[in-house]
Amino acid sequence: MLMGDVAIKAFNYISKRLTGKNTTPSGSTYKIRKGQFFYNEKRVFPSYVQTGQNYLIEKSKRTMIAEDLAEAAKIIGK
């Protein structure tokens, strides 16, 4: 799980350096979070960071984070 813009950008930086391409496309997290992205045959989940003022204020972000965590848990069999 890539939790937040910094994690997504850092992972893409590493991915591009090693493979020549980004793992996740550029764009707003809410637009790319439903996509299926893979790095070395492992699923990569872009999502929101679970802290900060936006997390406390915006209920929609809490809902999206919960959905992303549930999807990841389903894939790993938990």
Side-chain angles (χ1 to χ4, degrees), residues 2 6 19 23 25-26 29-30 34-36 38 43-44 50 53-54 62 68-69 73-75 78:
L2 303 174
V6 173
T19 68
T23 298
S26 298
T29 302
Y30 77 93
K34 290 287 187 178
Q36 292 189 7
F38 295 87
R43 180 85 181 268
V44 177
Q50 298 176 19
Q53 289 181 334
N54 285 340
R62 290 185 292 222
D68 295 341
L69 290 170
K74 184 171 75 173
I75 288 174
K78 297 279 178 173

Side-chain angles (χ1 to χ4, degrees), residues 12-44:
N12 274 336
Y13 175 80
I14 294 166
S15 173
K16 190 167 190 169
R17 195 167 43 128
L18 296 175
T19 68
K21 61 180 183 169
N22 289 339
T23 298
T24 61
S26 298
S28 300
T29 302
Y30 77 93
K31 290 181 180 178
I32 65 171
R33 61 180 275 278
K34 290 287 187 178
Q36 292 189 7
F37 309 107
F38 295 87
Y39 178 80
N40 288 340
E41 300 180 18
K42 293 176 180 70
R43 180 85 181 268
V44 177

Side-chain angles (χ1 to χ4, degrees), residues 46-57:
S47 190
Y48 290 100
V49 68
Q50 298 176 19
T51 61
Q53 289 181 334
N54 285 340
Y55 179 76
L56 298 173
I57 296 170

